[in-house]
């Protein structure tokens, strides 16, 4: 009798585990218990189906369920909910599609139970005008509701999005695209929590520019349903009537089964696993959003629910479980290992993209870790080639050894710059290494001097001590500035007159050598231009002319303006 | 009296050297001698101006010449040709814009003389219907000629492009875009020489599909001009009449001055430099297309004329020359160093992109270096999100230690995958590291399992011994196959019937377990599907069922079809 691998969950991690286990072991019996009606569906595509960008429902099904049987020889049991793990007897209990309970023994178990939604404990939140967007039945329900609302005469229905993470933002974009009046409410002071606030804010601006309303730092405290109308009441007292709402208030690892079975959880609340994705029970593996991972920039445990790490961990778990049952030793060279993840992510909202990889400044602060920061803006491809659009990079590195720790970006073409930084973190590269990267360049694709490389220049020059920078947030909040500090704006007189920087003295960079006597001696200087490039030259010029304490405002007046708009 | 840095050449490397030298040293006198009329222009943009994608001539001028004086305090001498270097007296001789000769002493010299065109010694090639595309005056002349030809009544003039490198390909695309009938003639058997032939060929296919004609393996042997008509006669005897021709037959380092001055040249014919970009004369630096670099994947000297390395090397040379003159010691921490380059490049031709980074298979063969190869195709973003287009990756790695040595790609979205591989090479990553990369993913941007990562899977699994691959070129040419080899096509019966693979036996992967007795025992097997994915599963299945020698055809039938088309 062949040995049996049971996998609980059949979407990203679970399906990957099954496929890899089969490729590693033909003799194995593989059973997947999937609580929902569809295996391996395109969760990341759900908002785009709501919005009609993905037109065919079938496109959401990445793998035909029949293939699990024919191709992978996997016994896929849909609509089957695992209700318990009996570790003593190596079996799971479950309720099948017809509601009939059963038990099945396992030789190895992979838990790929994903997440459960964090539903805020708000009166009325269980109303039938409130949807999640996590499954195909969810988006079927949203689509049906949208159709009934618009057919009912509301050509621009009011939609409430509760939560400003990936799902909330993507649904907001898509429902605006369908002509809805969308209001997004986020409890935190910013949307897209994984990013630093100033790097996420352009998403809010884009949503607003597209006709949406974004309310941050406020929360839905009650929802009233009456006469077929729903109204959300916010903590601020504000009332928002809506035709329907989408809940995107985040998720937590779904570890109920594991906890009940006494498996060890980590500090993040997710399942603790070793590098082979094994839990505290050597017969049980875990992979995906319900499992912890190691965060590459810090070596600390994290739980970051994202599609690719889930797939990757599922592959590792499936491989090792299958090898166990083929009698492979613990150090078999075919075993796969998960070392660490960067948490690389990206989101598009109404024409604006934002994303990040690795450590954020926020996280560094929480960890009490000293990091250095660079902001570097630029066009996404050669500025002289038509269609160049702006992007902004925030690079985070260790000032002691120069190691790249994280990067965030917004604007056009940021996916490839974030990929560059993600690989740089993986490769243990420093800001000095970034100075030498050879990136693809032809005018339609990039820049001879790309912003990703220029960010390396800035970081490396800061480390060399020749180009100290000042973060615009510090500037705005006066950190590191005193009354003696002089702000020198080196933009042209015309730029300065059109859009003056308050409190700054304007000496255009091209006149600076001739007007050095106008620069106050012996006082700390902050130099500013539009982007940080001319002010870098001014900084060097001033240094060589005996000015000791000169800092360059990273990101320049352009980034400063954004922060001003952000501050309201 | 201040010390003087002279820079010969004021475009990419020269302008970068001047700007960096100034930032490092305010006391220095800096003189640029530029032979042409424009400093720091957008050479890479020239073809796009010819084609009208770049509409304003001013856009070609990246830096206003006045800025050299006002901003950088650089004495920019345009239309001034340096005629000699007198090392004994530390001076250069030159002829100024008025043709008046002069001499000027230097304390440090940076040679940024770039390249000179390789003009084949063909009778008639100096005719006035034949243009190069290297300078703004060149494209002015081409534009004027195009206008006069079309105004003369030829609404679809015949244009000859001689040479299929970057310039030739980009000009071909752009002139097709202007409605010309373009014929491109390339001496080598392929266009885009830096790439392996099968990775460059899609460019030819795209050019042809757009109405162009591509002739490879043939050369212009004579050009006859008479009665205002020009005709090229090829080695094959073919005659090609043309209204005008663009020469893109490549370049060589422009080292005439350096050679005459007795500076040491490297094996590549370019100037030998140390990591500080210093030539054999410590007072003379060289940077850009006229200088050698170290090739990162091999550690050997190369001369690869590309915009970004030129800029990068110019920065290094300018920095170190300026530090010399500030009295900095040889090991001053502010000195910059050039370690090595990858030769990352990309080109777009009529909707098809192709590019590469690091070592090619061709180069490996020339060097006698054993490399392993993987081909991996996939959509450029989630296939279920609208607009996904195909791309193909060729990954080259060291089979002994798994180090990524090079990558090439064609299709959509390849710039970011090439950047990923370029950074991976810089970081010393292995194919096993690629398995773990965290790349940006949301449906509009990429894939949960990206082809760049899957290429790592394939390479790592080949190294683990569980998934040996076969390159399609080897398959076509019968390398590693013998009469006993059985080819098993595991596509569906329908796919196979519509487009059968000659000589293959079809057993669809979904029926393979049931039909194992049809697979010949004890014979080498090659498994094939459309892309290489299903055949990978079939390979694993067969291995576990006792078939010892099973290879997976990388890139599958799709790549094989391309190679068939390519073979003509």
């Amino acid at each position: 009798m062949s040995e049996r691998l049971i996998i609980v969950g059949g979407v990203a991690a679970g399906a990957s585990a099954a496929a890899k286990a089969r490729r590693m072991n033909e003799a194995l019996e593989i059973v997947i218990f999937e609580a929902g009606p569809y295996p391996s569906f395109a969760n990341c595509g759900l908002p785009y189906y709501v919005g009609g960008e993905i037109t065919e429902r079938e496109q959401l099904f990445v793998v035909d369920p029949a293939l699990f049987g024919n191709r992978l020889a996997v016994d896929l049991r849909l609509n089957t909910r695992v209700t318990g793990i009996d570790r003593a007897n190596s079996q799971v209990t479950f309720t099948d599609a017809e509601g009939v309970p059963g038990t099945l023994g396992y030789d190895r178990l992979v838990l790929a139970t994903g997440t459960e939604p964090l539903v805020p404990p708000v009166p009325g939140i269980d109303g039938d005008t409130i949807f999640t967007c996590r499954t195909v039945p969810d988006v079927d329900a949203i689509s049906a509701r949208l159709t009934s609302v618009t057919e009912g005469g509301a050509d621009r229905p009011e939609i409430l999005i509760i939560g400003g993470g990936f799902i909330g933002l993507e649904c907001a974009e898509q429902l605006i695209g369908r002509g809805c009046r969308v209001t997004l409410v986020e409890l935190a002071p910013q949307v897209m929590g994984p990013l630093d606030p100033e790097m996420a804010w352009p998403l809010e601006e884009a949503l607003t520019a597209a006709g949406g309303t974004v309310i941050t730092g406020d929360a839905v405290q009650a929802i009233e349903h009456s006469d077929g109308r729903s109204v959300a009441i916010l903590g601020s007292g504000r009332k928002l009537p809506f035709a329907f709402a989408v809940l995107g208030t985040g998720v937590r690892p779904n570890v109920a089964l594991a906890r009940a079975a006494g498996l060890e959880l980590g500090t993040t609340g997710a399942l603790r696993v070793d590098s082979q994705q094994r839990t505290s029970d050597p017969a049980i593996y875990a992979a995906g959003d319900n499992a912890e991972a190691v965060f590459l920039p810090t070596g600390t445990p994290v739980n970051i629910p994202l599609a690719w790490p889930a797939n990757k961990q599922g592959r590792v778990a499936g491989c090792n479980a299958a090898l166990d049952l083929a009698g492979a030793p613990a150090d078999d060279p075919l075993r796969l290992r998960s070392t660490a993840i960067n948490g690389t992510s990206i989101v598009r909202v109404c024409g604006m993209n934002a994303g990040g990889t690795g450590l954020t400044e926020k996280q560094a602060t929480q960890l009490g870790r000293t990091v250095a920061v660079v902001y570097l803006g630029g066009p996404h491809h050669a500025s002289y080639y038509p269609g160049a659009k702006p992007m902004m990079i925030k690079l985070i590195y260790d000032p002691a050894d120069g190691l790249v720790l994280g990067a965030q970006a917004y604007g056009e073409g940021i996916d490839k710059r974030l990929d560059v930084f993600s690989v740089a973190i993986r490769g243990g590269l420093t800001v000095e290494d970034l100075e030498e990267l050879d990136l693809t360049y032809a005018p339609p694709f990039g820049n001879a001097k790309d912003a990703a490389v220029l960010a390396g220049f800035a970081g490396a020059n800061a480390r060399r001590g020749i180009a100290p920078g000042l973060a615009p947030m510090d500037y705005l909040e006066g950190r590191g500035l005193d009354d003696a500090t002089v702000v020198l704006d080196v933009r042209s007189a015309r730029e300065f007159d059109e859009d003056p920087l308050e409190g700054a003295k304007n000496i255009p960079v091209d006149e600076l050598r001739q007007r050095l006597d106008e620069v106050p001696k012996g006082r700390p200087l902050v130099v500013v231009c539009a982007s940080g490039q001319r002010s870098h030259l001014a900084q060097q010029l001033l240094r060589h002319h005996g000015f000791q304490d000169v800092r360059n405002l990273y990101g320049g007046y352009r980034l400063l303006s954004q922060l001003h708009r952000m501050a309201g």
Side-chain angles (χ1 to χ4, degrees), chain A residues 87 186 216 263 266 384 407 437 474 546:
Chain A
R87 291 166 57 197
E186 165 62 50
T216 52
L263 295 176
Y384 59 77
L437 293 184
D474 291 335

Side-chain angles (χ1 to χ4, degrees), chain A residues 4 47 92 103 136 239 241 255 269 390 438 546:
Chain A
R4 184 183 296 133
V92 297
T103 63
V136 177
K239 292 187 178 187
V255 292
D438 294 290

Side-chain angles (χ1 to χ4, degrees), chain A residues 199-223:
Chain A
M199 300 307 284
W201 186 78
L203 299 172
E204 292 184 37
E205 195 170 39
L207 252 176
T208 307
T213 304
V214 179
I215 301 170
T216 52
D218 205 349
V220 175
Q221 299 219 323
I223 298 174

Side-chain angles (χ1 to χ4, degrees), chain A residues 419-433:
Chain A
D419 285 353
V420 161
F421 291 116
S422 177
V423 183
I425 295 170
R426 176 76 51 183
L429 298 192
T430 62
V431 287
E432 289 79 10
D433 293 320

Side-chain angles (χ1 to χ4, degrees), chain A residues 277-501:
Chain A
Q277 298 293 141
R278 210 187 270 115
T279 68
S280 55
D281 180 335
I284 305 180
Y285 290 81
D289 298 350
N290 59 337
E292 272 190 358
V294 176
F295 195 43
L296 185 54
T298 59
T300 51
V302 283
N303 173 244
I304 305 177
L306 286 169
W308 161 237
N311 278 285
K312 176 164 70 165
Q313 292 162 14
R315 177 176 182 254
V316 172
C319 174
N320 296 325
L323 286 173
D324 286 350
L325 299 178
D331 60 349
D332 190 286
L334 292 184
R335 287 187 181 272
L336 294 178
R337 282 180 171 74
S338 299
T339 56
I341 67 171
N342 280 347
T344 310
S345 69
I346 190 167
V347 69
R348 183 198 71 193
V349 181
C350 303
M352 176 55 69
N353 314 308
T357 185
L359 197 69
T360 60
E361 199 174 2
K362 226 161 42 170
Q363 289 171 315
T365 304
Q366 282 160 8
L367 294 166
R369 177 161 182 172
T370 301
V371 295
V373 170
V374 160
Y375 293 85
L376 211 298
H380 87 295
H381 65 50
S383 55
Y384 59 77
Y385 183 80
K389 292 181 184 169
M391 61 168 171
M392 177 62 69
I393 289 171
K394 178 180 187 178
L395 173 66
I396 292 165
Y397 65 95
D398 188 318
D401 55 18
L403 271 179
V404 178
L405 298 174
Q408 297 163 68
Y410 61 78
E412 196 71 17
I414 61 164
D415 49 338
K416 74 173 178 176
R417 277 72 182 197
L418 291 173
D419 285 353
V420 161
F421 291 116
S422 177
V423 183
I425 295 170
R426 176 76 51 183
L429 298 192
T430 62
V431 287
E432 289 79 10
D433 293 320
L434 296 183
E435 292 185 286
E436 285 215 278
L437 293 184
D438 294 290
L439 304 179
T440 46
Y441 167 59
F445 298 98
N447 301 287
K449 299 183 186 178
D450 196 80
V453 172
L454 295 180
F457 282 14
N461 280 335
R463 267 171 47 77
R464 293 179 185 117
I466 62 176
L470 180 66
M473 208 65 114
D474 291 335
Y475 177 86
L476 273 184
E477 295 172 5
R479 276 192 295 271
L481 307 179
D482 59 25
D483 291 347
T485 305
V486 174
V487 180
L488 198 63
D489 188 325
V490 301
R491 292 179 295 164
S492 69
R494 183 176 157 180
E495 286 171 279
F496 185 83
D497 290 346
E498 281 177 359
D499 214 354
L501 172 60

Side-chain angles (χ1 to χ4, degrees), chain A residues 176-200:
Chain A
I176 287 174
R178 293 285 295 264
C180 301
R181 282 173 291 174
V182 170
T183 300
L184 185 149
V185 177
E186 165 62 50
L187 170 65
Q190 66 168 92
V191 299
M192 192 70 172
L195 300 184
D196 287 329
E198 79 283 13
M199 300 307 284

